[in-house]
Amino acid sequence: MIVRRTLTAACLVLGVLATPTAGFAQTAAGPTAKIRQGALQGAVVDGVEEFWGIPYAAAPVGDLRWKPPAAAPSWNGARDATKAGASCQPTQKGVYTEDCLFANVTRPPGAKPGEKLPVLVWIHGGGFTIGSATGAFGAETDGIQFAKEGVITVSVSYRLGRAGWFAHPALCKEGPCGNYGYMDQVAALKWVRDNIASFGGDPKNVTIAGESAGGISVLELMLAPDARGLFQKAIGESSFGRVEPMSMTDAQAAGVKAAALAGVTGEDAAAAAALRKAPLSAMPYSGPFTSRAGPILDGRYVQSGVAEGFAAGKQAKVPLMIGGNSNEASLFRPQPAVLDAMPADRKTAAMAAFDPKSEGNTLQIVNDMATRRYITEPDRAISRAHAKAGQPVFTYYFSYVSAGQKARSQYGAVHTAEIRYAFAGPKQTFAPEDMALAKAVNAYWAAFIKTGNPDSAGGPTWPRFAPNETFMEFGADGPVPHEHFLKAQLDWAEQDVKAGASASPNSAK
């Protein structure tokens, strides 16, 4: 079972997207920072300091559309950094605000240049098509709680949909093409390297983290030569480790069809110019959300499938935390017909692994099967490969479902559920009985960001994945490590990989 490109955008909307904070309770003057581009005037929020809407690259508009990100603008005087920049997410009518390449910095109060505080760079999810740097899918990701624990958080936006993942022969003749979103992420990391010391951060202690499309991005950045040396640790949440990029041939063919919708034909410079003048809304998507945007095999930013690259030892040799949730299949809503369509021997093996007590809960079984195929088994594969490369790997499994979510999450913790626990900010609402786990998850994440070892959080011991293939489960009993976790189910899913079975999200429906 190879995870096809259709899965690269598999972060569907589960709930209403959170709206970034529009106003701040700030001091009379607010905190200041001086970066290479100029001075910034920020705000105090919940006792920490925030600087929002900082351009890390030039606006990718006009002739800069579908070009690698250009140098960020500079300014005179103090720039107002108390409001979020524009989102890269298109409206429901497909209208894009393309001037959207912004970074947001949240730091401990009173942080000063030279303190060398640990840094988290957050890459949001949303299927490479939607999402927000500072909060989406029921979670706020500005990093207020991390700041209270001595960590600086940088959340970044990047080009999405047609703006960020688009290849066309006329554009590719100009130079690097296709993965403009990844080009943006690398540019953002270079901006962090060059400027984070001005906020009190340590450019040599940077952790990249992301969920779903952001988690895929983390693994791709670990493989990308252009990102090498720009981070020292990585966290991949629900990161679809067997993701397969679209071939450049297929991507350009899709780009030609999209261009035709906008009335643009040809493959020369005139066609490139016409494309840059056309509104992106003139090239609407069709088909499932999960096939709209994502990594393209360009030979530079994306050189192979993720698991293939890790198996070959091509990834950055840095500590890695990786994991997923107990019902990632909430993305796909698989139906019992999945079982009926299986060959008899595979169905027998599936029932032995997923229903050993013959309880007959078919919907639970197919949800568990899909979750293992797309997330948990790939997490094991990536963990195995990275441990074999001699690197520390800490693997988790988030299964906690709060009492208030059980009606919606009867098959386990849904896709994106862990984000709010990892950030655990004061804007989040937790029932009293959920607070202990939220504090634990946040503490383990913060410890890893600081040191590369979550076990320094002070809770139950979190062993490395190797040698006993240990997963730390965050569930109803709190943090509990399990050796050879869910082995029968993961071995079954691995057999699908070897058999070449389809892992398209559509096959899970």
Side-chain angles (χ1 to χ4, degrees):
M1 177 197 67
I2 299 175
V3 179
R4 303 296 178 191
R5 177 189 170 271
T6 51
L7 197 51
T8 67
C11 185
L12 300 181
V13 182
L14 297 176
V16 179
L17 294 182
T19 301
T21 305
F24 300 89
Q26 68 183 91
T27 60
T32 60
K34 181 67 183 299
I35 62 175
R36 293 187 179 190
Q37 296 151 263
L40 296 167
Q41 184 84 54
V44 174
V45 182
D46 284 296
V48 304
E49 298 176 358
E50 292 192 340
F51 300 85
W52 285 31
I54 310 166
Y56 67 79
V61 299
D63 290 341
L64 294 182
R65 180 197 279 180
W66 295 314
K67 289 281 185 70
S74 58
W75 53 83
N76 296 318
R79 179 185 175 96
D80 180 6
T82 65
K83 300 179 180 63
S87 171
C88 293
Q89 175 177 291
T91 68
Q92 291 184 343
K93 294 183 178 180
V95 177
Y96 292 72
T97 300
E98 296 183 66
D99 182 0
C100 64
L101 300 186
F102 298 103
N104 310 288
V105 179
T106 301
R107 70 180 184 183
K112 296 292 188 294
E115 288 193 40
K116 293 189 175 181
L117 298 171
V119 180
L120 168 67
V121 177
W122 175 253
I123 304 170
H124 72 81
F128 301 101
T129 305
I130 60 174
S132 166
T134 56
F137 314 110
E140 295 291 340
T141 55
D142 49 355
I144 290 175
Q145 184 59 35
F146 284 135
K148 292 181 178 181
E149 297 170 15
V151 172
I152 293 177
T153 296
V154 183
S155 57
V156 298
S157 55
Y158 55 96
R159 281 174 279 185
L160 299 171
R162 291 287 188 214
W165 314 92
F166 183 75
H168 187 280
L171 302 175
C172 295
K173 290 175 182 177
E174 301 175 342
C177 70
N179 297 301
Y180 303 103
Y182 282 148
M183 298 178 202
D184 295 342
Q185 292 173 14
V186 171
L189 288 172
K190 290 179 178 178
W191 182 90
V192 169
R193 177 197 63 193
D194 295 340
N195 292 283
I196 203 63
S198 297
F199 295 97
D202 184 354
K204 296 297 184 181
N205 190 8
V206 174
T207 301
I208 57 171
E211 186 272 343
S212 197
I216 295 170
S217 297
V218 165
L219 299 184
E220 292 284 14
L221 289 169
M222 290 181 71
L223 291 167
D226 284 59
R228 201 56 49 89
L230 297 176
F231 56 90
Q232 288 70 46
K233 298 178 289 296
I235 301 174
E237 304 176 23
S238 304
S239 47
F240 296 96
R242 291 194 182 276
V243 68
E244 288 287 338
M246 176 180 271
S247 73
M248 181 57 75
T249 298
D250 288 346
Q252 289 193 27
V256 168
K257 290 181 179 179
L261 296 175
V264 178
T265 59
E267 300 181 0
D268 57 7
L275 279 169
R276 291 191 169 103
K277 292 178 180 178
L280 295 178
S281 58
M283 294 184 286
Y285 286 109
S286 61
F289 178 88
T290 51
S291 62
R292 291 181 176 180
I296 298 169
L297 193 64
D298 66 349
R300 177 172 174 176
Y301 293 92
V302 179
Q303 299 182 352
S304 69
V306 170
E308 177 187 349
F310 271 75
K314 295 181 179 180
Q315 73 276 22
K317 305 306 188 289
V318 301
L320 172 66
M321 179 193 290
I322 189 169
N325 300 346
S326 58
N327 186 29
E328 299 283 0
S330 57
L331 285 172
F332 320 126
R333 299 179 183 179
Q335 298 302 312
V338 172
L339 275 174
D340 297 335
M342 283 184 178
D345 60 334
R346 291 300 294 149
K347 181 176 179 179
T348 298
M351 297 304 289
F354 291 91
D355 192 23
K357 297 181 180 179
S358 300
E359 295 176 348
N361 187 341
T362 308
L363 280 172
Q364 184 70 64
I365 293 167
V366 296
N367 273 270
D368 288 347
M369 286 169 52
T371 295
R372 306 298 174 257
R373 282 177 171 177
Y374 306 141
I375 297 292
T376 326
E377 188 281 327
D379 285 344
R380 187 178 73 170
I382 294 297
S383 297
R384 283 175 170 176
H386 205 51
K388 184 178 179 180
Q391 299 306 303
V393 185
F394 300 90
T395 311
Y396 75 87
Y397 180 82
F398 186 89
S399 63
Y400 185 74
V401 178
S402 66
Q405 290 293 315
K406 285 187 176 179
R408 172 177 175 259
S409 307
Q410 64 265 45
Y411 304 116
V414 300
H415 190 65
T416 76
E418 88 295 345
I419 304 175
R420 62 195 300 268
Y421 287 83
F423 280 86
K427 300 176 189 176
Q428 306 288 194
T429 302
F430 291 104
E433 61 269 23
D434 302 335
M435 283 302 303
L437 189 70
K439 289 179 179 179
V441 175
N442 176 260
Y444 281 113
W445 260 241
F448 180 84
I449 292 163
K450 292 175 182 179
T451 69
N453 182 2
D455 204 34
S456 61
T461 298
W462 185 340
R464 291 187 183 188
F465 173 81
N468 296 318
E469 301 200 337
T470 301
F471 281 65
M472 176 68 95
E473 181 177 11
F474 293 96
D477 296 326
V480 178
H482 303 282
E483 295 181 358
H484 303 290
F485 186 60
L486 297 173
K487 185 177 186 304
Q489 295 182 10
L490 301 189
D491 288 349
W492 178 90
E494 186 180 44
Q495 286 299 313
D496 268 7
V497 176
K498 294 177 180 179
S502 172
S504 165
N506 295 329
S507 71
K509 294 181 180 178

